[in-house]
Structure formats: C-alpha cells, structure tokens
Amino acid sequence: MLLTWIAEVAAEPLVLELADRRAEWETNTWSLSTTEEDRSSLSVAAVVAAFELTAAAIRERIRDLGFPGVATFYVWHDEQAGQLRCSTGSVTPDALPFSGTYVACDDLGPVVECFLADGEPGSIAWSDLDDVQSVPMMTATEPEIRPFGVWVTTVGASG
C-alpha cells in the first residue's frame, strides 16, 4: 500500500507560490505510513524507486506548468511520528522549511532504511530516554541536536 500512496503523491494538488510558503507546505506535504505487515514486506530499493518515480512525475508536471523557478522535492523520516514525509517547495535544498537542523543528501536509501527498520513507529524506547536525576543541570549552551537526513532532488526549471 505504501508504494501506491507514494505514487499518488505525484498526482495530488501542487502549489508553487514563492509569496505563500505556508500554502505550499500545507498543500504539498504528505505523511506516509504503513502497517507492520506491509513494512516487513517492503525493500529499501522498492521504496526508493517509488519516490524517484514520483519525483520524476512532479518534475514533469512543473515543467508542463511552465514554472520557471527553483523547486525541490524532498523526503525525510519523521521518527517521532513514525512516518515518511515528503514535500515539494519553491526553495533550494539548503533552504527547506524545517525548524530543526537537517542534512540534505542525494541518497534516499538510509532515510528509507531507518523508516523500515523502525520496529515501533512513533514510539521512543525507555532505554533511549535520560533519567532526570542523571541529567546534569542545564548550562548556558544548548545541548547539541543531531541533524536528520533529508533526501532532496531538484524538480524545478532552475536550481
């Protein structure tokens, strides 16, 4: 089912509006998940291929629309929600609308692999949490936040 949903993203409404990034985000962003059974039957290669086909179809749609600007299709694993998410925006890969730190990459495999290997999507194991009593008092510097990987591909006329 996941592969079908990924393919359907290419035909969904698409907004490229430099002056209204919120409209782009709300219209163009998709959350994709799957059942445990479906997840175990999927291969990284199949999911990557589905996203690559979707990106190619979006690239074709944007060309047919005559949109002259920069546009990027991107995919990331939202570990907290246990989902793969994808979006298209009239931004360059280094200006994606994330509030957190991310690393743009051209290899979707690790992003998909992390999603498929997530045995309990949307859950955080107790062992991954810090004991409040063992955490040192906050200092003036913020703790280091690990960047997350985002697969990016150019789909606009310029880039």
Side-chain angles (χ1 to χ4, degrees):
M1 200 69 206
L2 179 66
L3 300 180
T4 301
W5 292 334
I6 293 168
E8 289 174 354
V9 167
E12 292 294 333
L14 181 65
V15 172
L16 295 172
E17 184 58 55
L18 297 168
D20 194 351
R21 299 294 165 106
R22 178 176 292 283
E24 280 187 356
W25 179 260
E26 290 173 357
T27 304
N28 302 343
T29 302
W30 300 97
S31 300
L32 306 165
S33 194
T34 188
T35 64
E36 186 177 329
E37 181 181 322
D38 194 23
R39 184 183 303 256
S40 65
S41 70
L42 291 167
S43 71
V44 171
V47 176
V48 167
F51 274 118
E52 288 173 341
L53 287 172
T54 295
I58 291 171
R59 187 176 297 112
E60 185 79 20
R61 282 183 66 192
I62 291 172
R63 190 184 77 212
D64 291 348
L65 290 171
F67 182 75
V70 171
T72 302
F73 178 73
Y74 51 105
V75 178
W76 70 101
H77 175 212
D78 182 334
E79 291 184 45
Q80 290 179 328
Q83 300 170 332
L84 280 174
R85 295 196 180 186
C86 63
S87 191
T88 304
S90 57
V91 295
T92 59
D94 63 344
L96 300 179
F98 291 113
S99 58
T101 307
Y102 67 94
V103 175
C105 59
D106 59 3
D107 183 1
L108 180 54
V111 174
V112 171
E113 187 174 356
C114 184
F115 169 75
L116 292 178
D118 189 350
E120 295 185 39
S123 299
I124 299 173
W126 282 106
S127 60
D128 291 340
L129 298 174
D130 290 326
D131 180 5
V132 173
Q133 295 176 10
S134 67
V135 176
M137 294 298 289
M138 293 296 290
T139 61
T141 61
E142 290 292 318
E144 183 178 334
I145 297 174
R146 184 177 53 110
F148 58 98
V150 179
W151 177 70
V152 298
T153 186
T154 301
V155 291
S158 64

